[in-house]
Amino acid sequence: MYDVIVIGSGPAGYVAAIRASQLGLKTACVEKSFHNDSPQLGGTCLNIGCIPSKALLDSSHRYADALHQFSDHGIKVQNPTIDIPKMMDRKNKIVAQLTGGISSLFKANNVTQILGTATIMGANTVEVTYEGKTETLETLNIVIASGSSPIDIPVAKVNHKNIVDSTGALEFQAVPKTLGIIGAGIIGLELGSVWARLGSKVTILEALDDFLPMADSKISKEVLKEFNKQGLNINLGCKVNAAKSNKKNVTVNYENNGSEFELNFEKLIVAVGRKPNTENLFSKSSGLSVDERGFIPVNNFCETKVKNIWAIGDVVRGPMLAHKASEEGIMVVERIAGNQVEMEYAHVPSVIYTHPEVAWVGQNEKDLSDAGLEFKTGSFPFAASGRALATGESTGFVKVIADKKTDTILGVHAFGPSAADIVQQGVVAMEFKASAEDLGLTIFSHPTVSEALHEAAMAVNEKAIHIGNIKK
Ligand code: FAD
Ligand code: NAD
């Protein structure tokens, strides 16, 4: 009898399993993906998501720098070239190192790794099937962390050759001359950036008329301008009617503003969102069910409607992000161990790892206006940051939003160099319920790009030093 069986070894599941074991709970983690008869640990994030995409973003960024930026610094490099198989090999080695690392962590923490597909039969029973053999396991608690998979659309069926999903787009062995992408979401922008930097002519077809509607609206506008400048060619309000694979390319037919268009691409990436992995996950008798979009309904503590069955990560509501998944994992097993841990969902940061990065935490001006709340804002452009100028990265700005009366920070939004790390400082400040004044009175090292956060916080109360404090 286990105390906890975790289903899935992505950032939700593996973190939950390790923490559960640290808390003295007898824990097993079941994973269905395999390699050489062993579980392939790490889920989407480590194998086909966060890590490989960031490896390619970093390689392609260095190449683009060599092509376009080095000369500004007086560095001469003649005709830089990129070796795609070597770049892919580097990415694969990083993935192997990290996924192997989880296996070592499981061993060090006494987490039992079980290979197979788990099915929940009841509140205390999990069946695990591998190569036709089924084993029945008994447990006091079940944590579902089965993650998500790409959504496919009937008009552009993925064939894993020239019409691919995000996984295929991490594995091209040559730079496609022309690349179409359906969806200007996070994957479309990150993977579009990778291939555009390497030389692809990229066209993105987005259904919505709004670009990045979840971000601060001024940031979305600047980002759209900058990415079009970088060659992403983002088309909004497009209805894709068909994508047909031919021998040589993919022909895409779409409508935009009442007109019909046809484009041919060497490769097409379908990046229109992800869906939860809940198919065949539980038997009827388990008492579990899913909502109309396939997610497992849970409360703020990730409890399902069946006592002692919990669900975390991409398989439940909320943003599909690795850090949100991991924090839910920790909260759940702490609660199983009797500790009253809660998670502050309002402080989950979001980052788009393009160059420059886009990042935010908390509420934006539209959220607050829609809720009828009074707020004040302060912004600071990187064009006025000494360090940003010294680095040659002065696009974008930082915005701090605070409660009009209490001055408590309600949101931090950034587009520019190290935006992810700058917003992370905002997350820490918000976690400690800091005011804009608190952040303004905090000492920031000079010269750093983080000083833009300091100045934006000071600008909230018209105390910025390096820009005019014009009332917005
Ligand atoms: P997953 O990572 O999907 O793991 C679920 C695991 O459960 C899988 O290993 C699966 O095989 C296993 N499983 C499923 N069903 C069963 C079953 N019945 N029995 C046994 N095992 C089962 N997020 C970020 O925060 N930052 C990023 O930079 C980022 N980049 C991304 C880039 C890409 C290209 C993609 C696709 C995603 C990215 N994400 C990123 C999102 C992130 O990968 C997910 O939010 C995260 O992996 C979710 O973790 P999870 O543990 O809930 O699910
Ligand atoms: P997404 O939800 O971010 O974007 C999908 C986009 O496709 C949306 O803009 C949507 O309007 C558009 N779309 C949907 N149907 C369409 C259609 N038929 N035609 C044209 N456009 C259409 O989803 P994604 O980019 O696939 O990424 C999935 C999830 O993975 C993200 O929501 C995110 O949570 C996670 N992720 C995170 C990161 C990160 O944290 N940096 C990176 C990659 C992925």
Side-chain angles (χ1 to χ4, degrees), residues 7-12 30-33 43-45 48-50 53-54 116-118 145-148 166 187 274 281 313-314 320-323 353:
I7 300 174
S9 70
V30 187
E31 173 55 59
K32 69 176 181 183
S33 297
T44 303
C45 176
I48 50 171
C50 325
S53 61
K54 267 75 248 178
T117 301
S146 53
S148 66
S166 56
I187 291 180
R274 296 177 63 82
L281 181 64
D314 280 12
M320 289 182 164
L321 297 172
H323 43 280
Y353 294 90

PDB file of all heavy atoms in Angstrom, residues 7-12 30-33 43-45 48-50 53-54 116-118 145-148 166 187 274 281 313-314 320-323 353, ligand 1:
ATOM      1  N   ILE A   7       0.360  10.137 -10.949  1.00  0.00           N
ATOM      2  CA  ILE A   7       0.245   9.690 -12.347  1.00  0.00           C
ATOM      3  C   ILE A   7       0.821  10.775 -13.249  1.00  0.00           C
ATOM      4  O   ILE A   7       0.266  11.858 -13.379  1.00  0.00           O
ATOM      5  CB  ILE A   7      -1.223   9.402 -12.712  1.00  0.00           C
ATOM      6  CG1 ILE A   7      -1.763   8.299 -11.799  1.00  0.00           C
ATOM      7  CG2 ILE A   7      -1.356   9.023 -14.190  1.00  0.00           C
ATOM      8  CD1 ILE A   7      -3.251   8.028 -11.973  1.00  0.00           C
ATOM      9  N   GLY A   8       1.979  10.480 -13.858  1.00  0.00           N
ATOM     10  CA  GLY A   8       2.645  11.449 -14.734  1.00  0.00           C
ATOM     11  C   GLY A   8       3.884  12.012 -14.067  1.00  0.00           C
ATOM     12  O   GLY A   8       3.885  12.305 -12.864  1.00  0.00           O
ATOM     13  N   SER A   9       4.959  12.144 -14.860  1.00  0.00           N
ATOM     14  CA  SER A   9       6.235  12.611 -14.275  1.00  0.00           C
ATOM     15  C   SER A   9       6.693  13.928 -14.883  1.00  0.00           C
ATOM     16  O   SER A   9       7.884  14.185 -15.008  1.00  0.00           O
ATOM     17  CB  SER A   9       7.312  11.550 -14.489  1.00  0.00           C
ATOM     18  OG  SER A   9       7.642  11.509 -15.862  1.00  0.00           O
ATOM     19  N   GLY A  10       5.733  14.782 -15.323  1.00  0.00           N
ATOM     20  CA  GLY A  10       6.087  16.127 -15.791  1.00  0.00           C
ATOM     21  C   GLY A  10       6.403  17.014 -14.591  1.00  0.00           C
ATOM     22  O   GLY A  10       6.521  16.521 -13.462  1.00  0.00           O
ATOM     23  N   PRO A  11       6.539  18.331 -14.815  1.00  0.00           N
ATOM     24  CA  PRO A  11       6.884  19.218 -13.687  1.00  0.00           C
ATOM     25  C   PRO A  11       5.848  19.197 -12.561  1.00  0.00           C
ATOM     26  O   PRO A  11       6.179  19.510 -11.413  1.00  0.00           O
ATOM     27  CB  PRO A  11       6.962  20.598 -14.327  1.00  0.00           C
ATOM     28  CG  PRO A  11       6.436  20.471 -15.695  1.00  0.00           C
ATOM     29  CD  PRO A  11       6.471  19.036 -16.088  1.00  0.00           C
ATOM     30  N   ALA A  12       4.599  18.826 -12.860  1.00  0.00           N
ATOM     31  CA  ALA A  12       3.616  18.670 -11.780  1.00  0.00           C
ATOM     32  C   ALA A  12       3.935  17.398 -11.001  1.00  0.00           C
ATOM     33  O   ALA A  12       4.128  17.425  -9.783  1.00  0.00           O
ATOM     34  CB  ALA A  12       2.198  18.609 -12.359  1.00  0.00           C
ATOM     35  N   VAL A  30       3.971   6.994 -11.650  1.00  0.00           N
ATOM     36  CA  VAL A  30       3.739   6.145 -12.831  1.00  0.00           C
ATOM     37  C   VAL A  30       3.882   7.004 -14.087  1.00  0.00           C
ATOM     38  O   VAL A  30       3.282   8.072 -14.174  1.00  0.00           O
ATOM     39  CB  VAL A  30       2.309   5.545 -12.805  1.00  0.00           C
ATOM     40  CG1 VAL A  30       2.141   4.534 -13.937  1.00  0.00           C
ATOM     41  CG2 VAL A  30       1.992   4.920 -11.465  1.00  0.00           C
ATOM     42  N   GLU A  31       4.676   6.532 -15.036  1.00  0.00           N
ATOM     43  CA  GLU A  31       4.874   7.290 -16.293  1.00  0.00           C
ATOM     44  C   GLU A  31       4.721   6.329 -17.466  1.00  0.00           C
ATOM     45  O   GLU A  31       5.325   5.260 -17.484  1.00  0.00           O
ATOM     46  CB  GLU A  31       6.259   7.947 -16.296  1.00  0.00           C
ATOM     47  CG  GLU A  31       6.656   8.623 -17.600  1.00  0.00           C
ATOM     48  CD  GLU A  31       5.649   9.671 -18.104  1.00  0.00           C
ATOM     49  OE1 GLU A  31       5.388  10.634 -17.374  1.00  0.00           O
ATOM     50  OE2 GLU A  31       5.125   9.498 -19.221  1.00  0.00           O
ATOM     51  N   LYS A  32       3.938   6.762 -18.463  1.00  0.00           N
ATOM     52  CA  LYS A  32       3.691   5.862 -19.599  1.00  0.00           C
ATOM     53  C   LYS A  32       4.702   6.008 -20.733  1.00  0.00           C
ATOM     54  O   LYS A  32       4.898   5.071 -21.503  1.00  0.00           O
ATOM     55  CB  LYS A  32       2.273   6.047 -20.130  1.00  0.00           C
ATOM     56  CG  LYS A  32       2.003   7.373 -20.824  1.00  0.00           C
ATOM     57  CD  LYS A  32       0.600   7.405 -21.400  1.00  0.00           C
ATOM     58  CE  LYS A  32       0.350   8.706 -22.114  1.00  0.00           C
ATOM     59  NZ  LYS A  32      -0.984   8.833 -22.639  1.00  0.00           N
ATOM     60  N   SER A  33       5.352   7.199 -20.840  1.00  0.00           N
ATOM     61  CA  SER A  33       6.360   7.344 -21.901  1.00  0.00           C
ATOM     62  C   SER A  33       7.590   6.540 -21.523  1.00  0.00           C
ATOM     63  O   SER A  33       7.947   6.489 -20.337  1.00  0.00           O
ATOM     64  CB  SER A  33       6.794   8.800 -22.037  1.00  0.00           C
ATOM     65  OG  SER A  33       5.726   9.572 -22.408  1.00  0.00           O
ATOM     66  N   GLY A  43       8.040  14.637 -18.570  1.00  0.00           N
ATOM     67  CA  GLY A  43       6.828  15.144 -19.221  1.00  0.00           C
ATOM     68  C   GLY A  43       7.100  16.033 -20.413  1.00  0.00           C
ATOM     69  O   GLY A  43       8.189  16.031 -21.006  1.00  0.00           O
ATOM     70  N   THR A  44       6.089  16.835 -20.751  1.00  0.00           N
ATOM     71  CA  THR A  44       6.185  17.749 -21.891  1.00  0.00           C
ATOM     72  C   THR A  44       7.330  18.725 -21.696  1.00  0.00           C
ATOM     73  O   THR A  44       8.143  18.960 -22.595  1.00  0.00           O
ATOM     74  CB  THR A  44       4.860  18.548 -22.018  1.00  0.00           C
ATOM     75  OG1 THR A  44       3.786  17.623 -22.148  1.00  0.00           O
ATOM     76  CG2 THR A  44       4.887  19.490 -23.206  1.00  0.00           C
ATOM     77  N   CYS A  45       7.394  19.307 -20.514  1.00  0.00           N
ATOM     78  CA  CYS A  45       8.327  20.396 -20.236  1.00  0.00           C
ATOM     79  C   CYS A  45       9.769  20.023 -20.582  1.00  0.00           C
ATOM     80  O   CYS A  45      10.436  20.715 -21.338  1.00  0.00           O
ATOM     81  CB  CYS A  45       8.207  20.795 -18.762  1.00  0.00           C
ATOM     82  SG  CYS A  45       9.381  22.042 -18.275  1.00  0.00           S
ATOM     83  N   ILE A  48       9.734  17.806 -24.606  1.00  0.00           N
ATOM     84  CA  ILE A  48       9.266  18.389 -25.880  1.00  0.00           C
ATOM     85  C   ILE A  48       8.683  19.786 -25.668  1.00  0.00           C
ATOM     86  O   ILE A  48       7.860  20.241 -26.455  1.00  0.00           O
ATOM     87  CB  ILE A  48       8.206  17.466 -26.545  1.00  0.00           C
ATOM     88  CG1 ILE A  48       7.109  17.078 -25.523  1.00  0.00           C
ATOM     89  CG2 ILE A  48       8.844  16.243 -27.161  1.00  0.00           C
ATOM     90  CD1 ILE A  48       5.916  16.360 -26.113  1.00  0.00           C
ATOM     91  N   GLY A  49       9.070  20.459 -24.588  1.00  0.00           N
ATOM     92  CA  GLY A  49       8.461  21.752 -24.282  1.00  0.00           C
ATOM     93  C   GLY A  49       9.476  22.795 -23.864  1.00  0.00           C
ATOM     94  O   GLY A  49      10.358  23.190 -24.644  1.00  0.00           O
ATOM     95  N   CYS A  50       9.384  23.220 -22.590  1.00  0.00           N
ATOM     96  CA  CYS A  50      10.176  24.333 -22.067  1.00  0.00           C
ATOM     97  C   CYS A  50      11.668  24.212 -22.415  1.00  0.00           C
ATOM     98  O   CYS A  50      12.257  25.156 -22.952  1.00  0.00           O
ATOM     99  CB  CYS A  50      10.098  24.408 -20.540  1.00  0.00           C
ATOM    100  SG  CYS A  50       8.526  23.941 -19.819  1.00  0.00           S
ATOM    101  N   SER A  53      12.768  23.887 -26.289  1.00  0.00           N
ATOM    102  CA  SER A  53      12.474  25.139 -27.013  1.00  0.00           C
ATOM    103  C   SER A  53      13.434  26.240 -26.582  1.00  0.00           C
ATOM    104  O   SER A  53      13.878  27.037 -27.403  1.00  0.00           O
ATOM    105  CB  SER A  53      11.009  25.560 -26.832  1.00  0.00           C
ATOM    106  OG  SER A  53      10.705  25.800 -25.487  1.00  0.00           O
ATOM    107  N   LYS A  54      13.780  26.254 -25.279  1.00  0.00           N
ATOM    108  CA  LYS A  54      14.716  27.305 -24.835  1.00  0.00           C
ATOM    109  C   LYS A  54      16.132  27.040 -25.366  1.00  0.00           C
ATOM    110  O   LYS A  54      16.881  27.978 -25.666  1.00  0.00           O
ATOM    111  CB  LYS A  54      14.734  27.418 -23.305  1.00  0.00           C
ATOM    112  CG  LYS A  54      13.757  28.452 -22.777  1.00  0.00           C
ATOM    113  CD  LYS A  54      12.322  28.018 -22.816  1.00  0.00           C
ATOM    114  CE  LYS A  54      11.392  28.681 -23.723  1.00  0.00           C
ATOM    115  NZ  LYS A  54      10.023  28.134 -23.706  1.00  0.00           N
ATOM    116  N   GLY A 116       4.373   2.483 -17.193  1.00  0.00           N
ATOM    117  CA  GLY A 116       3.107   1.969 -17.712  1.00  0.00           C
ATOM    118  C   GLY A 116       2.045   3.042 -17.743  1.00  0.00           C
ATOM    119  O   GLY A 116       2.243   4.160 -17.268  1.00  0.00           O
ATOM    120  N   THR A 117       0.904   2.681 -18.341  1.00  0.00           N
ATOM    121  CA  THR A 117      -0.228   3.609 -18.428  1.00  0.00           C
ATOM    122  C   THR A 117      -1.144   3.366 -17.246  1.00  0.00           C
ATOM    123  O   THR A 117      -1.591   2.239 -17.006  1.00  0.00           O
ATOM    124  CB  THR A 117      -0.986   3.379 -19.755  1.00  0.00           C
ATOM    125  OG1 THR A 117      -0.051   3.595 -20.818  1.00  0.00           O
ATOM    126  CG2 THR A 117      -2.156   4.337 -19.906  1.00  0.00           C
ATOM    127  N   ALA A 118      -1.405   4.440 -16.482  1.00  0.00           N
ATOM    128  CA  ALA A 118      -2.217   4.295 -15.262  1.00  0.00           C
ATOM    129  C   ALA A 118      -3.689   4.539 -15.574  1.00  0.00           C
ATOM    130  O   ALA A 118      -4.032   5.436 -16.349  1.00  0.00           O
ATOM    131  CB  ALA A 118      -1.735   5.300 -14.229  1.00  0.00           C
ATOM    132  N   ALA A 145      -1.468  13.871 -12.587  1.00  0.00           N
ATOM    133  CA  ALA A 145      -0.609  14.911 -13.200  1.00  0.00           C
ATOM    134  C   ALA A 145      -0.323  14.476 -14.630  1.00  0.00           C
ATOM    135  O   ALA A 145       0.827  14.397 -15.059  1.00  0.00           O
ATOM    136  CB  ALA A 145       0.680  15.052 -12.389  1.00  0.00           C
ATOM    137  N   SER A 146      -1.407  14.185 -15.362  1.00  0.00           N
ATOM    138  CA  SER A 146      -1.255  13.560 -16.684  1.00  0.00           C
ATOM    139  C   SER A 146      -1.028  14.565 -17.812  1.00  0.00           C
ATOM    140  O   SER A 146      -0.845  14.183 -18.966  1.00  0.00           O
ATOM    141  CB  SER A 146      -2.466  12.674 -16.987  1.00  0.00           C
ATOM    142  OG  SER A 146      -3.654  13.406 -16.814  1.00  0.00           O
ATOM    143  N   GLY A 147      -1.065  15.870 -17.500  1.00  0.00           N
ATOM    144  CA  GLY A 147      -0.605  16.875 -18.462  1.00  0.00           C
ATOM    145  C   GLY A 147      -1.532  17.139 -19.634  1.00  0.00           C
ATOM    146  O   GLY A 147      -2.751  16.938 -19.565  1.00  0.00           O
ATOM    147  N   SER A 148      -0.927  17.577 -20.745  1.00  0.00           N
ATOM    148  CA  SER A 148      -1.714  18.005 -21.908  1.00  0.00           C
ATOM    149  C   SER A 148      -1.004  17.643 -23.206  1.00  0.00           C
ATOM    150  O   SER A 148       0.184  17.297 -23.197  1.00  0.00           O
ATOM    151  CB  SER A 148      -1.920  19.524 -21.841  1.00  0.00           C
ATOM    152  OG  SER A 148      -0.682  20.181 -21.993  1.00  0.00           O
ATOM    153  N   SER A 166       4.038  21.302 -32.150  1.00  0.00           N
ATOM    154  CA  SER A 166       5.238  21.891 -31.530  1.00  0.00           C
ATOM    155  C   SER A 166       6.375  20.872 -31.430  1.00  0.00           C
ATOM    156  O   SER A 166       7.544  21.229 -31.570  1.00  0.00           O
ATOM    157  CB  SER A 166       4.914  22.469 -30.154  1.00  0.00           C
ATOM    158  OG  SER A 166       4.333  21.485 -29.330  1.00  0.00           O
ATOM    159  N   ILE A 187       3.564  29.455 -28.312  1.00  0.00           N
ATOM    160  CA  ILE A 187       4.383  28.524 -29.100  1.00  0.00           C
ATOM    161  C   ILE A 187       4.665  29.104 -30.484  1.00  0.00           C
ATOM    162  O   ILE A 187       5.804  29.075 -30.968  1.00  0.00           O
ATOM    163  CB  ILE A 187       3.695  27.140 -29.209  1.00  0.00           C
ATOM    164  CG1 ILE A 187       3.696  26.475 -27.829  1.00  0.00           C
ATOM    165  CG2 ILE A 187       4.384  26.257 -30.249  1.00  0.00           C
ATOM    166  CD1 ILE A 187       3.060  25.114 -27.777  1.00  0.00           C
ATOM    167  N   ARG A 274      -3.453  23.690 -26.333  1.00  0.00           N
ATOM    168  CA  ARG A 274      -3.265  22.319 -25.862  1.00  0.00           C
ATOM    169  C   ARG A 274      -4.518  21.847 -25.116  1.00  0.00           C
ATOM    170  O   ARG A 274      -5.250  22.659 -24.574  1.00  0.00           O
ATOM    171  CB  ARG A 274      -2.027  22.244 -24.945  1.00  0.00           C
ATOM    172  CG  ARG A 274      -0.743  22.585 -25.697  1.00  0.00           C
ATOM    173  CD  ARG A 274       0.463  22.584 -24.780  1.00  0.00           C
ATOM    174  NE  ARG A 274       0.745  21.292 -24.199  1.00  0.00           N
ATOM    175  CZ  ARG A 274       1.416  20.311 -24.818  1.00  0.00           C
ATOM    176  NH1 ARG A 274       1.872  20.486 -26.043  1.00  0.00           N
ATOM    177  NH2 ARG A 274       1.639  19.155 -24.205  1.00  0.00           N
ATOM    178  N   LEU A 281      -8.365   7.789 -18.641  1.00  0.00           N
ATOM    179  CA  LEU A 281      -7.562   7.953 -17.426  1.00  0.00           C
ATOM    180  C   LEU A 281      -8.224   7.333 -16.204  1.00  0.00           C
ATOM    181  O   LEU A 281      -7.545   6.939 -15.256  1.00  0.00           O
ATOM    182  CB  LEU A 281      -7.328   9.464 -17.189  1.00  0.00           C
ATOM    183  CG  LEU A 281      -6.499   9.872 -16.010  1.00  0.00           C
ATOM    184  CD1 LEU A 281      -5.060   9.358 -16.153  1.00  0.00           C
ATOM    185  CD2 LEU A 281      -6.471  11.397 -15.874  1.00  0.00           C
ATOM    186  N   GLY A 313      -1.545  20.669 -12.386  1.00  0.00           N
ATOM    187  CA  GLY A 313      -0.831  20.945 -13.646  1.00  0.00           C
ATOM    188  C   GLY A 313      -1.773  21.197 -14.810  1.00  0.00           C
ATOM    189  O   GLY A 313      -2.879  21.713 -14.653  1.00  0.00           O
ATOM    190  N   ASP A 314      -1.326  20.840 -16.012  1.00  0.00           N
ATOM    191  CA  ASP A 314      -2.066  21.156 -17.243  1.00  0.00           C
ATOM    192  C   ASP A 314      -3.427  20.468 -17.313  1.00  0.00           C
ATOM    193  O   ASP A 314      -4.269  20.871 -18.116  1.00  0.00           O
ATOM    194  CB  ASP A 314      -1.254  20.706 -18.472  1.00  0.00           C
ATOM    195  CG  ASP A 314      -0.155  21.692 -18.841  1.00  0.00           C
ATOM    196  OD1 ASP A 314       0.134  22.600 -18.036  1.00  0.00           O
ATOM    197  OD2 ASP A 314       0.425  21.536 -19.935  1.00  0.00           O
ATOM    198  N   MET A 320      -1.388  26.925 -18.491  1.00  0.00           N
ATOM    199  CA  MET A 320      -0.606  25.692 -18.702  1.00  0.00           C
ATOM    200  C   MET A 320       0.870  26.053 -18.631  1.00  0.00           C
ATOM    201  O   MET A 320       1.515  26.285 -19.661  1.00  0.00           O
ATOM    202  CB  MET A 320      -0.967  25.079 -20.045  1.00  0.00           C
ATOM    203  CG  MET A 320      -2.350  24.483 -20.065  1.00  0.00           C
ATOM    204  SD  MET A 320      -2.683  23.717 -21.661  1.00  0.00           S
ATOM    205  CE  MET A 320      -4.090  22.697 -21.272  1.00  0.00           C
ATOM    206  N   LEU A 321       1.399  26.148 -17.416  1.00  0.00           N
ATOM    207  CA  LEU A 321       2.782  26.563 -17.200  1.00  0.00           C
ATOM    208  C   LEU A 321       3.457  25.602 -16.232  1.00  0.00           C
ATOM    209  O   LEU A 321       2.844  25.157 -15.246  1.00  0.00           O
ATOM    210  CB  LEU A 321       2.826  27.982 -16.622  1.00  0.00           C
ATOM    211  CG  LEU A 321       2.254  29.083 -17.527  1.00  0.00           C
ATOM    212  CD1 LEU A 321       2.176  30.398 -16.783  1.00  0.00           C
ATOM    213  CD2 LEU A 321       3.099  29.226 -18.791  1.00  0.00           C
ATOM    214  N   ALA A 322       4.744  25.343 -16.488  1.00  0.00           N
ATOM    215  CA  ALA A 322       5.472  24.373 -15.677  1.00  0.00           C
ATOM    216  C   ALA A 322       5.552  24.795 -14.210  1.00  0.00           C
ATOM    217  O   ALA A 322       5.360  23.968 -13.298  1.00  0.00           O
ATOM    218  CB  ALA A 322       6.874  24.198 -16.251  1.00  0.00           C
ATOM    219  N   HIS A 323       5.808  26.095 -13.955  1.00  0.00           N
ATOM    220  CA  HIS A 323       5.980  26.519 -12.559  1.00  0.00           C
ATOM    221  C   HIS A 323       4.662  26.483 -11.797  1.00  0.00           C
ATOM    222  O   HIS A 323       4.647  26.201 -10.606  1.00  0.00           O
ATOM    223  CB  HIS A 323       6.631  27.910 -12.490  1.00  0.00           C
ATOM    224  CG  HIS A 323       6.103  28.898 -13.476  1.00  0.00           C
ATOM    225  ND1 HIS A 323       6.507  28.914 -14.786  1.00  0.00           N
ATOM    226  CD2 HIS A 323       5.201  29.886 -13.358  1.00  0.00           C
ATOM    227  CE1 HIS A 323       5.878  29.884 -15.429  1.00  0.00           C
ATOM    228  NE2 HIS A 323       5.070  30.484 -14.584  1.00  0.00           N
ATOM    229  N   TYR A 353       9.457  33.676 -24.159  1.00  0.00           N
ATOM    230  CA  TYR A 353      10.924  33.751 -24.222  1.00  0.00           C
ATOM    231  C   TYR A 353      11.429  34.118 -25.612  1.00  0.00           C
ATOM    232  O   TYR A 353      12.290  33.450 -26.171  1.00  0.00           O
ATOM    233  CB  TYR A 353      11.533  32.423 -23.759  1.00  0.00           C
ATOM    234  CG  TYR A 353      11.264  32.157 -22.289  1.00  0.00           C
ATOM    235  CD1 TYR A 353      10.124  31.480 -21.894  1.00  0.00           C
ATOM    236  CD2 TYR A 353      12.135  32.606 -21.307  1.00  0.00           C
ATOM    237  CE1 TYR A 353       9.864  31.250 -20.548  1.00  0.00           C
ATOM    238  CE2 TYR A 353      11.878  32.382 -19.969  1.00  0.00           C
ATOM    239  CZ  TYR A 353      10.739  31.705 -19.596  1.00  0.00           C
ATOM    240  OH  TYR A 353      10.480  31.484 -18.274  1.00  0.00           O
TER     241      TYR A 353
HETATM  242  P1  FAD B   1       3.219  17.191 -18.660  1.00  0.00           P
HETATM  243  O1  FAD B   1       4.523  17.860 -18.625  1.00  0.00           O
HETATM  244  O2  FAD B   1       2.479  17.136 -19.944  1.00  0.00           O
HETATM  245  O3  FAD B   1       3.456  15.724 -18.103  1.00  0.00           O
HETATM  246  C1  FAD B   1       2.441  14.765 -18.041  1.00  0.00           C
HETATM  247  C2  FAD B   1       3.078  13.388 -18.022  1.00  0.00           C
HETATM  248  O4  FAD B   1       2.064  12.421 -17.707  1.00  0.00           O
HETATM  249  C3  FAD B   1       3.646  12.964 -19.370  1.00  0.00           C
HETATM  250  O5  FAD B   1       4.979  12.497 -19.195  1.00  0.00           O
HETATM  251  C4  FAD B   1       2.736  11.833 -19.837  1.00  0.00           C
HETATM  252  O6  FAD B   1       3.412  10.836 -20.592  1.00  0.00           O
HETATM  253  C5  FAD B   1       2.256  11.271 -18.502  1.00  0.00           C
HETATM  254  N1  FAD B   1       0.959  10.581 -18.563  1.00  0.00           N
HETATM  255  C6  FAD B   1      -0.188  11.034 -19.127  1.00  0.00           C
HETATM  256  N2  FAD B   1      -1.196  10.140 -18.936  1.00  0.00           N
HETATM  257  C7  FAD B   1      -0.661   9.103 -18.234  1.00  0.00           C
HETATM  258  C8  FAD B   1      -1.191   7.883 -17.749  1.00  0.00           C
HETATM  259  N3  FAD B   1      -2.474   7.543 -17.900  1.00  0.00           N
HETATM  260  N4  FAD B   1      -0.361   7.051 -17.095  1.00  0.00           N
HETATM  261  C9  FAD B   1       0.960   7.369 -16.906  1.00  0.00           C
HETATM  262  N5  FAD B   1       1.509   8.517 -17.357  1.00  0.00           N
HETATM  263  C10 FAD B   1       0.711   9.373 -17.998  1.00  0.00           C
HETATM  264  N6  FAD B   1       5.808  26.177 -19.637  1.00  0.00           N
HETATM  265  C11 FAD B   1       6.549  27.065 -18.943  1.00  0.00           C
HETATM  266  O7  FAD B   1       6.247  27.357 -17.776  1.00  0.00           O
HETATM  267  N7  FAD B   1       7.654  27.669 -19.502  1.00  0.00           N
HETATM  268  C12 FAD B   1       8.023  27.399 -20.776  1.00  0.00           C
HETATM  269  O8  FAD B   1       9.021  27.953 -21.262  1.00  0.00           O
HETATM  270  C13 FAD B   1       7.257  26.486 -21.526  1.00  0.00           C
HETATM  271  N8  FAD B   1       7.601  26.192 -22.793  1.00  0.00           N
HETATM  272  C14 FAD B   1       6.859  25.281 -23.496  1.00  0.00           C
HETATM  273  C15 FAD B   1       7.213  25.000 -24.816  1.00  0.00           C
HETATM  274  C16 FAD B   1       6.481  24.098 -25.558  1.00  0.00           C
HETATM  275  C17 FAD B   1       6.886  23.813 -26.986  1.00  0.00           C
HETATM  276  C18 FAD B   1       5.374  23.417 -24.961  1.00  0.00           C
HETATM  277  C19 FAD B   1       4.587  22.391 -25.744  1.00  0.00           C
HETATM  278  C20 FAD B   1       5.009  23.685 -23.649  1.00  0.00           C
HETATM  279  C21 FAD B   1       5.741  24.618 -22.906  1.00  0.00           C
HETATM  280  N9  FAD B   1       5.398  24.952 -21.594  1.00  0.00           N
HETATM  281  C22 FAD B   1       6.132  25.872 -20.903  1.00  0.00           C
HETATM  282  C23 FAD B   1       4.244  24.326 -20.917  1.00  0.00           C
HETATM  283  C24 FAD B   1       4.730  23.192 -19.981  1.00  0.00           C
HETATM  284  O9  FAD B   1       5.457  22.262 -20.735  1.00  0.00           O
HETATM  285  C25 FAD B   1       3.529  22.539 -19.308  1.00  0.00           C
HETATM  286  O10 FAD B   1       2.748  23.517 -18.654  1.00  0.00           O
HETATM  287  C26 FAD B   1       4.007  21.519 -18.296  1.00  0.00           C
HETATM  288  O11 FAD B   1       4.793  20.517 -18.890  1.00  0.00           O
HETATM  289  C27 FAD B   1       2.809  20.865 -17.595  1.00  0.00           C
HETATM  290  O12 FAD B   1       3.280  19.947 -16.669  1.00  0.00           O
HETATM  291  P2  FAD B   1       2.416  18.667 -16.254  1.00  0.00           P
HETATM  292  O13 FAD B   1       3.287  17.890 -15.320  1.00  0.00           O
HETATM  293  O14 FAD B   1       1.075  19.089 -15.812  1.00  0.00           O
HETATM  294  O15 FAD B   1       2.185  17.840 -17.589  1.00  0.00           O
END
